[in-house]
Amino acid sequence: MFRLTKVAFSGATDKIAKSFTGAIPNSQIVASLSAALKPHGYGSDTLLATSLCCDEVNRTLEKDLIDEFGDNFSMGGLAGFPFGGVTSFGAMAHHIPAGGSCLIVYGPHVGVDADGVVGQVNRRGREGSGACCGSAAAAAGFVSQQFAAGKKDSPTPKAPLDAQQAYVGKLLLPYAERLSESPDPAVELPFALFDAQKAFMNDIVNAAAGEVAGEGKIALLGGIQINTPEGDDDYFLPIEFEIRDNKGKVVKKL
């Protein structure tokens, strides 16, 4: 469904090709996405929703999607988890133009810097590179400590001050052993986060799909957003692309 055309290689793009096989530049993913959805009735009456991390580097993909589908409804929070939950899905569904459908693009993100280091990115106006995704890196550190201590769960946050970050760690904790055993935890981390977010998003859609009116459909594109240094294209690795009806049933795998 999604095909990569020829791109210029750099330290970042070479690493992306090796570690995130199948990743596609944003411009290509948006064009392919639009073409794939058109035969299923998606057009000017489509409402775009996103669940991407708060980090400013992720607005590039949102802007590319907005150029094609119009302004987005944001469901996402730290690390890309859909912390807006069932309430945000229901509100979004009630904003779909009459007779239309929704498209949800979701997933975690990871940086690849100019030297090809995964989990880092060169940011505008700053020397060197820094953590990307910072929330994911913090959660991975927490999970590693919990795993070393033999703990399989963590407390539910009681105050809102840093509740999202606490939940990122809590939702990543079931993947602690997988991360611990990975030969390259920095590459494995966004894949583990995607699996956690997919489960979360599935629960939301199953609970609230009925809020989509009439014959409206729910298209879900889930994957990993890959941030690169300024001057390189950002990439997206599509992992799951499907259309569901307003009962939550999968009607087409794309």
Side-chain angles (χ1 to χ4, degrees):
M1 181 58 65
F2 297 105
R3 294 194 179 115
L4 174 65
T5 58
K6 187 176 181 180
V7 296
F9 280 84
S10 66
T13 55
D14 185 53
K15 181 63 176 178
I16 291 166
K18 292 175 181 176
S19 296
F20 300 97
T21 304
I24 300 170
N26 283 358
S27 58
Q28 293 180 31
I29 200 86
V30 171
S32 297
L33 178 58
S34 182
L37 289 174
K38 190 173 181 179
H40 302 282
Y42 279 77
S44 60
D45 55 0
T46 297
L47 179 62
L48 168 69
T50 58
S51 183
L52 304 171
C53 183
C54 311
D55 193 324
E56 74 276 5
V57 296
N58 298 314
R59 306 290 72 82
T60 300
L61 176 59
E62 278 187 341
K63 289 175 182 176
D64 290 341
L65 290 164
I66 287 167
D67 286 344
E68 182 68 27
F69 296 103
D71 288 342
N72 66 300
F73 185 107
S74 180
M75 298 174 62
L78 288 179
F81 279 91
F83 285 125
V86 169
T87 298
S88 72
F89 184 97
M92 178 275 296
H94 294 168
H95 299 172
I96 298 171
S101 297
C102 64
L103 161 64
I104 303 174
V105 180
Y106 72 97
H109 73 114
V110 64
V112 181
D113 73 10
D115 296 318
V117 178
V118 176
Q120 302 279 316
V121 79
N122 308 85
R123 293 182 183 273
R124 177 175 60 88
R126 298 185 67 88
E127 293 185 9
S129 59
C132 180
C133 167
S135 170
F142 167 78
V143 164
S144 178
Q145 292 175 351
Q146 295 292 99
F147 183 68
K151 297 180 180 179
K152 297 183 179 181
D153 198 6
S154 62
T156 299
K158 296 180 180 180
L161 187 62
D162 206 17
Q164 284 197 14
Q165 184 58 36
Y167 271 111
V168 174
K170 189 177 181 69
L171 292 165
L172 184 62
L173 194 51
Y175 304 89
E177 184 173 2
R178 167 176 161 184
L179 291 169
S180 176
E181 293 179 350
S182 172
D184 195 341
V187 172
E188 188 63 29
L189 177 58
F191 287 95
L193 284 165
F194 174 78
D195 288 345
Q197 291 177 23
K198 176 184 172 182
F200 194 170
M201 185 63 77
N202 284 343
D203 287 344
I204 291 170
V205 174
N206 288 336
E211 299 296 330
V212 176
E215 300 299 317
K217 296 179 285 292
I218 305 159
L220 291 157
L221 173 62
I224 297 170
Q225 190 177 359
I226 304 165
N227 312 115
T228 63
E230 190 172 2
D232 285 350
D233 286 330
D234 278 0
Y235 282 68
F236 188 85
L237 175 62
I239 298 176
E240 183 163 271
F241 187 23
E242 63 187 20
I243 297 176
R244 300 190 188 193
D245 61 20
N246 63 1
K247 296 179 178 61
K249 180 182 177 182
V250 176
V251 295
K252 185 71 175 179
K253 286 278 190 181
L254 296 168

